[in-house]
Amino acid sequence: MADTATTASAAAASATNASPDAPPFQLGKPRFQQLWSAQKIKQAILHPDTNEKIFMPFRMSGYIPFGTPIVVGLLLPNQTLASTVFWQWLNQSHNACVNYANRNATKPSPASKFIQGYLGAVISAVSIAVGLNVLVQKANKFTPATRLLVQRFVPFPAVASANICNVVLMRYGELEEGIDVLDADGNLVGSSKIAARHALLETALTRVVLPMPILVLPPIVMSMLEKTALLQARPRLLLPVQSLVCLAAFGLALPLAISLFPQMSEIETSQLEPEIAQATSCRTVVYNKGL
């Protein structure tokens, strides 16, 4: 993997530093297809601010294979208090590492901020999930079947709420210090707290949209599949089938959520601090939103 990343970086750099006389990018040409492929590999592996490799389980390209087992665990029926706490802790631990690894890294972030954000996200997720489960169990008006169905949807509000807390707490330093904004030529214009607020808002929205298909569709689909003769006759197939349904939902949700806002977002200088607007003649600037 190290050789692949190095090759991809070199190829992408060579494409960027090509002379003015080099032929323009043309789809269908083998050389340019190779360079385009190398650029995509580079963007999937390296952090755009530090150019350092992101640990595989915390890359967005690794979110589905490493996150699907956690989603399956979150949606298991008849969960105990201990299992609820365990899966919410594991999910928010993974999310915290993903948020930190894909943050805007134009400013240094101390380890204490990571620990504070991690603890806040885990506590909020566990508290919401456990609280909702207790409320459902005390709802005497629900039949056992209805209670089981409602419990399957408990992970979504817990995860969505905790995801917002996770993003804000893990990246709170950006709100305090601001993030770098660049002009059209990639030159540093300044550091903006307003751009940081936009970056965190956009990232938080993606973290709310992301679990919608993952945690809402599988319970609906499984409630119908469980009534089929095949699964009623072979209950051992329930977990593999649920895993496949979760994998399909994850594959649908991640591209949808990530595509809501580009990683390098654009904002008009008139919306930023006066010193930023005065420091450049460009009408818009760009910033790394993070993922």
Side-chain angles (χ1 to χ4, degrees):
M1 184 61 71
D3 294 338
T4 303
T6 305
T7 304
S9 300
S14 66
T16 303
N17 298 325
S19 66
D21 297 329
F25 176 80
Q26 298 177 40
L27 285 173
K29 299 293 184 180
R31 175 175 176 271
F32 290 106
Q33 285 181 336
Q34 185 178 10
L35 291 174
W36 189 251
S37 177
Q39 174 72 2
K40 289 193 292 183
I41 294 173
K42 173 180 178 291
Q43 291 175 343
I45 295 175
L46 304 182
H47 193 286
D49 294 331
T50 64
N51 281 324
E52 296 178 353
K53 283 201 301 182
I54 300 173
F55 187 44
M56 187 181 295
F58 308 144
R59 300 172 190 164
M60 277 298 165
S61 56
Y63 212 166
I64 293 177
F66 289 98
T68 299
I70 300 175
V71 172
V72 174
L74 286 169
L75 294 175
L76 290 174
N78 300 317
Q79 295 216 29
T80 63
L81 177 62
S83 65
T84 298
V85 171
F86 171 76
W87 288 113
Q88 289 291 344
W89 163 78
L90 186 60
N91 181 54
Q92 290 306 321
S93 296
H94 182 240
N95 285 344
C97 292
V98 170
N99 289 334
Y100 185 80
N102 293 278
R103 73 196 184 283
N104 182 298
T106 55
K107 297 287 189 298
S109 180
S112 59
K113 295 290 185 182
F114 174 83
I115 296 173
Q116 291 173 8
Y118 170 74
L119 291 176
V122 170
I123 291 171
S124 64
V126 171
S127 301
I128 294 170
V130 171
L132 289 175
N133 273 321
V134 170
L135 288 176
V136 171
Q137 290 173 359
K138 290 184 176 180
N140 298 324
K141 294 182 180 180
F142 290 158
T143 64
T146 303
R147 185 180 291 110
L148 178 61
L149 181 62
V150 172
Q151 280 182 318
R152 284 183 165 181
F153 289 97
V154 165
F156 172 66
V159 168
S161 303
N163 281 355
I164 296 175
C165 296
N166 200 319
V167 169
V168 174
L169 292 172
M170 292 300 301
R171 297 175 56 179
Y172 187 75
E174 298 174 28
L175 294 175
E176 292 181 323
E177 301 181 14
I179 59 176
D180 291 349
V181 293
L182 312 173
D183 62 17
D185 297 322
N187 300 315
L188 177 64
V189 176
S191 183
S192 171
K193 294 182 180 180
I194 297 176
R197 289 203 298 269
H198 280 261
L200 262 67
L201 176 61
E202 292 170 352
T203 306
L205 287 174
T206 63
R207 292 300 190 273
V208 173
V209 173
L210 179 59
M212 281 184 184
I214 300 172
L215 299 177
V216 174
L217 288 180
I220 296 174
V221 173
M222 288 305 299
S223 65
M224 294 185 293
L225 293 179
E226 287 171 356
K227 298 176 183 178
T228 61
L230 176 64
L231 292 184
Q232 287 183 348
R234 297 174 177 82
R236 291 183 180 180
L237 293 177
L238 281 173
L239 186 57
V241 169
Q242 179 169 324
S243 300
L244 290 175
V245 172
C246 290
L247 181 62
F250 216 147
L252 169 69
L254 186 60
L256 175 65
I258 296 301
S259 65
L260 290 177
F261 305 100
Q263 182 170 6
M264 298 305 295
S265 294
E266 191 175 60
I267 187 172
E268 294 184 0
T269 54
S270 59
Q271 299 180 31
L272 301 178
E273 293 86 345
E275 58 269 23
I276 298 292
Q278 294 170 5
T280 179
S281 59
C282 296
R283 189 175 66 86
T284 61
V285 291
V286 296
Y287 58 90
N288 176 20
K289 168 186 70 69
L291 289 174

